Amino acid sequence: MKKSFIITLLLALVSTLSFGQNASQARSILDKAASVIGRKGGATANFSISGKYGNSSGTIAIKGNKFRATTPDAIVWYDGKTEWTYIKKNEEVNVSTPTEAQQQAMNPYKFITIYKNGFNLSMTSTASDHSIHLVAQNQSRTIKEMYIIVDKRTNLPKQVKMRQQNGWSTINISNFKAVNQSDATFRFNSKDFPHAEVIDLR
């Protein structure tokens, strides 16, 4: 009985150490991805999204936690605090303060800041990719669970999947380029859209 207890305890200890090492490796990979994506000058990429927020595709410019996403139907600017969404078909601009999940839906690189706090990490790997699984420690959080697929060769994410209350959304990312961005890129300029109606939803 005593021997059986010791074996069980050792197995539990090995499992715990293995999980901790796996989580540490997952965090290290995301740290590398974040350092590539989060370059001081900014970057651009292409993206496509499907799921909770509908289906869309376009281009994105990023710099830190700021972004500008352009699709056939809309342009979204986010300067780190305020979001402006220009709806092309009716020339309307909605001004808001987006939630974490809304930011993630338009900026697939938002994970480079949110993974560092409040998520448990684990990882599996194939010959070409790492699949990192994030589960929110607090399940009342808007984003409850995520999968981030990171290319081993480039250290860049290829896909981000996130689960919210009403299901999953999938964002595919490609054509990452290190291109310097000015801060003005991430703010709506009314002079460029003189006929747009601005609606403040804050």
Side-chain angles (χ1 to χ4, degrees), residues 27 30-31 34-35 111-119 121 134 141:
R27 185 173 297 276
L30 290 182
D31 286 343
S35 69
F111 79 85
I112 70 172
T113 55
I114 68 173
Y115 78 90
K116 296 179 181 179
N117 293 295
F119 285 92
L121 278 62
L134 297 83
R141 191 167 180 162

Side-chain angles (χ1 to χ4, degrees), residues 37 47 49 60-69 76 78 83 100-113 146 160 162 171 173:
I37 296 160
F47 73 94
I49 183 170
I60 185 167
I62 59 169
K63 185 179 181 181
N65 68 337
K66 304 171 185 176
F67 69 88
R68 185 195 67 211
V76 181
Y78 179 67
E83 181 178 284
E100 178 182 80
Q102 287 168 339
Q103 291 178 52
Q104 178 73 61
M106 291 308 296
N107 178 9
Y109 294 126
K110 174 66 179 172
F111 79 85
I112 70 172
T113 55
M146 295 177 68
V160 177
M162 63 174 179
I171 307 168
I173 315 159

Side-chain angles (χ1 to χ4, degrees), residues 7-185:
I7 290 171
T8 302
L9 190 63
L10 286 171
L11 287 172
L13 180 61
V14 169
S15 177
T16 301
L17 289 172
S18 175
F19 176 80
Q21 186 179 30
N22 186 268
S24 178
Q25 289 174 338
R27 185 173 297 276
S28 177
I29 289 164
L30 290 182
D31 286 343
K32 288 179 184 176
S35 69
V36 175
I37 296 160
R39 64 183 296 274
K40 190 174 181 180
T44 63
N46 297 339
F47 73 94
S48 64
I49 183 170
S50 61
K52 175 180 169 61
Y53 288 94
N55 300 320
S56 189
S57 62
T59 59
I60 185 167
I62 59 169
K63 185 179 181 181
N65 68 337
K66 304 171 185 176
F67 69 88
R68 185 195 67 211
T70 304
T71 73
D73 302 314
I75 305 172
V76 181
W77 298 262
Y78 179 67
D79 67 357
K81 181 180 178 182
T82 303
E83 181 178 284
W84 298 265
T85 303
Y86 174 65
I87 311 299
K88 295 180 180 180
K89 67 179 180 181
N90 55 8
E91 290 196 293
E92 180 179 291
V93 179
N94 294 319
V95 186
S96 63
T97 304
T99 65
E100 178 182 80
Q102 287 168 339
Q103 291 178 52
Q104 178 73 61
M106 291 308 296
N107 178 9
Y109 294 126
K110 174 66 179 172
F111 79 85
I112 70 172
T113 55
I114 68 173
Y115 78 90
K116 296 179 181 179
N117 293 295
F119 285 92
N120 293 324
L121 278 62
S122 61
M123 181 184 72
T124 57
S125 297
T126 66
S128 58
D129 301 321
H130 298 293
S131 177
I132 300 171
H133 187 201
L134 297 83
V135 178
Q137 293 166 356
N138 180 356
Q139 282 294 301
S140 64
R141 191 167 180 162
T142 310
I143 298 176
K144 303 179 185 308
E145 185 177 7
M146 295 177 68
Y147 285 93
I148 301 169
I149 309 300
V150 179
D151 188 303
K152 284 184 174 180
R153 182 178 56 85
T154 63
N155 288 322
L156 289 169
K158 298 161 61 174
Q159 185 182 82
V160 177
K161 295 176 70 175
M162 63 174 179
R163 178 174 64 87
Q164 299 176 65
Q165 189 69 35
N166 298 324
W168 288 88
S169 295
T170 300
I171 307 168
N172 293 301
I173 315 159
S174 61
N175 200 29
F176 176 89
K177 293 179 181 178
V179 181
N180 290 343
Q181 307 292 323
S182 71
D183 288 340
T185 300

